[in-house]
Amino acid sequence: MGHLDLPSRHLERAVEEISSLPGIGSKTALRLALHLLGKPQEVVDRLAGALVEMRRGIRHCRACGNLSDHELCPVCSSGRRDASQLCVVESFREILAIENTGQYQGLYHVLGGLISPMDGVGPSDLSVDRLLERASGPDVREVILALSTTLEGDTTNFYLHKKLSPLGLEVSTLARGLAVGDELEYADPVTLGRSIAGRVKLAP
Amino acid sequence: MGHLDLPSRHLERAVEEISSLPGIGSKTALRLALHLLGKPQEVVDRLAGALVEMRRGIRHCRACGNLSDHELCPVCSSGRRDASQLCVVESFREILAIENTGQYQGLYHVLGGLISPMDGVGPSDLSVDRLLERASGPDVREVILALSTTLEGDTTNFYLHKKLSPLGLEVSTLARGLAVGDELEYADPVTLGRSIAGRVKLAP
């Protein structure tokens, strides 16, 4: 569609701003802008207000680094979580994903990234010291490294494992293997190999 | 993905508002919200401001009904348009599309809809009187009905043609036929039939 000559600078600016969002091209941006034009002023004000207030109001949990409206996030301030488990994640996005499974009742620790020499990210750029401090606390018995199964994730796993070992804790990583619903025939060989090596004994 | 338990009410509200936009589900809304969270406050303020100002600042051209920042839209206020042609469209969206072709130099008239007895839209709900008034002006020599090729569009074409005939103007509708790039084999029979009936003589 290229560049349309829009009849309004206001509309042009709105389309420009909307299309700066990821995955939204100028055609979709125009469609969204025209949609909003057809709505009452209050609807647009409410959307705009929600965005501004979100950006202004959200902070990071003082304890784990999760997103939060308060000093402590809902996970850390809940009295019902198991303080003996600490799950290390790259960012708050992974906390959302893990919480969504309903399978984990412990606490989290947000690293703020992964070690990546290529991108110039080293351990000192991540909240590793704070992790070691928390892991040394009296309650923690297990640290679960829930990082991506990428080169950077593996590097970070390796580094953290080395740092955590002296603390005498149990350190684990997520199981690797076939995704639920995967057809064996189409599984990639590395994953399939891992799932054979890590095979699980069935009860007799 | 269903309903995620988000750790922040602010984030929840933003996701809710974003996902009220057409074609944006809760997963995309969350992705967009998290993207904005990673941006400086100014970026979010600018986006929100652009939306609010667009909604507040845009009006309709007093002459043709096109979107505009001023009393008259850029088309009507341009001194270079041909005032002898009046192109009747359903809404400002069609003006965008036609302007984008670069093939039309006349003026426009926005009807504000199409006649649709099923939806209870009659001629009195559209700016038909204003069209007849404009078409009676001294400059206008041709009225081009550029409406959708739907039942509602055809009904409106028929009605307007009847109303416009007494004025002694040329009244035309858009050519119907094969889309440029269409393969004849796959053209629908109605369109193909129309393009045969409306065949164009080649220069000898």
Side-chain angles (χ1 to χ4, degrees):
Chain A
M1 160 136 149
H3 255 284
L4 279 182
D5 257 338
L6 297 177
S8 154
R9 269 296 296 151
H10 287 118
L11 179 59
E12 239 168 54
R13 268 204 57 215
V15 169
E16 210 176 283
E17 288 293 335
I18 299 174
S19 60
S20 73
L21 294 171
I24 297 199
S26 59
K27 209 165 168 174
T28 304
L30 179 61
R31 190 168 54 78
L32 294 177
L34 293 180
H35 167 84
L36 288 175
L37 268 184
K39 294 282 163 190
Q41 180 81 44
E42 302 88 75
V43 171
V44 181
D45 289 350
R46 213 167 55 216
L47 167 63
L51 298 181
V52 169
E53 277 160 35
M54 170 189 75
R55 183 62 187 77
R56 189 162 291 151
I58 278 192
R59 9 185 189 169
H60 291 278
C61 173
R62 192 170 45 81
C64 73
N66 190 10
L67 290 181
S68 178
D69 288 339
H70 310 285
E71 279 236 4
L72 290 178
C73 74
V75 174
C76 288
S77 61
S78 154
R80 293 191 305 276
R81 307 292 297 219
D82 181 354
S84 75
Q85 292 183 314
L86 211 51
C87 179
V88 179
V89 290
E90 180 179 349
S91 74
F92 56 79
R93 291 162 197 257
E94 286 75 33
I95 298 185
L96 285 181
I98 296 173
E99 285 297 287
N100 198 31
T101 67
Q103 293 292 310
Y104 180 66
Q105 296 305 321
L107 300 176
Y108 291 97
H109 184 85
V110 173
L111 271 188
L114 296 174
I115 297 174
S116 171
M118 291 278 286
D119 301 316
V121 181
S124 62
D125 300 309
L126 311 176
S127 70
V128 172
D129 290 345
R130 177 91 182 101
L131 168 63
L132 296 175
E133 191 184 305
R134 291 184 75 193
S136 311
D139 294 336
V140 181
R141 281 204 302 276
E142 180 180 4
V143 174
I144 301 165
L145 302 174
L147 304 176
S148 294
T149 60
T150 57
L151 184 62
E152 290 78 16
D154 284 343
T155 307
T156 311
N157 268 339
F158 183 75
Y159 177 84
L160 291 180
H161 182 50
K162 223 177 53 188
K163 284 286 195 183
L164 289 163
S165 312
L167 300 180
L169 301 162
E170 205 170 310
V171 180
S172 55
T173 68
L174 298 186
R176 314 227 173 148
L178 298 172
V180 177
D182 265 8
E183 299 206 46
L184 202 91
E185 181 181 354
Y186 303 115
D188 73 279
V190 179
T191 301
L192 189 54
R194 288 282 200 125
S195 70
I196 293 169
R199 64 195 178 279
V200 177
K201 277 208 168 61
L202 297 174
Chain B
M1 161 137 151
H3 256 284
L4 279 181
D5 257 338
L6 298 178
S8 153
R9 267 299 294 150
H10 286 118
L11 179 58
E12 239 166 56
R13 268 204 56 215
V15 169
E16 212 175 282
E17 287 293 335
I18 299 174
S19 59
S20 73
L21 294 171
I24 297 199
S26 60
K27 209 165 169 173
T28 304
L30 179 60
R31 190 168 53 79
L32 294 177
L34 294 180
H35 166 84
L36 289 175
L37 268 184
K39 295 282 163 189
Q41 179 80 44
E42 302 88 73
V43 171
V44 181
D45 289 350
R46 213 166 54 216
L47 167 63
L51 297 182
V52 168
E53 277 160 36
M54 169 190 73
R55 184 62 188 77
R56 189 162 292 151
I58 279 191
R59 10 185 188 169
H60 291 278
C61 172
R62 192 171 45 82
C64 73
N66 190 10
L67 290 182
S68 178
D69 288 339
H70 310 284
E71 279 236 6
L72 289 178
C73 75
V75 175
C76 288
S77 61
S78 154
R80 292 191 305 275
R81 308 291 295 220
D82 181 355
S84 75
Q85 293 183 312
L86 210 51
C87 179
V88 180
V89 291
E90 180 179 350
S91 73
F92 56 80
R93 290 160 196 259
E94 285 75 34
I95 298 186
L96 285 182
I98 295 174
E99 284 296 288
N100 198 31
T101 67
Q103 294 292 310
Y104 180 64
Q105 296 304 321
L107 299 177
Y108 291 97
H109 185 84
V110 173
L111 271 188
L114 297 174
I115 296 174
S116 172
M118 291 280 286
D119 302 317
V121 181
S124 61
D125 301 310
L126 311 175
S127 69
V128 173
D129 290 344
R130 178 90 183 102
L131 168 64
L132 296 175
E133 192 184 306
R134 290 184 75 193
S136 311
D139 294 335
V140 181
R141 282 202 302 274
E142 180 181 6
V143 174
I144 301 165
L145 302 174
L147 305 177
S148 294
T149 59
T150 58
L151 183 63
E152 289 79 16
D154 285 342
T155 307
T156 312
N157 268 338
F158 182 76
Y159 178 84
L160 292 180
H161 181 50
K162 223 179 52 188
K163 284 286 193 183
L164 288 164
S165 314
L167 300 180
L169 301 162
E170 206 171 311
V171 180
S172 55
T173 69
L174 298 187
R176 315 228 172 147
L178 297 173
V180 177
D182 265 9
E183 300 206 45
L184 201 91
E185 181 180 355
Y186 303 115
D188 73 278
V190 179
T191 301
L192 188 54
R194 287 282 200 123
S195 70
I196 293 170
R199 65 194 178 278
V200 177
K201 277 210 169 59
L202 296 174

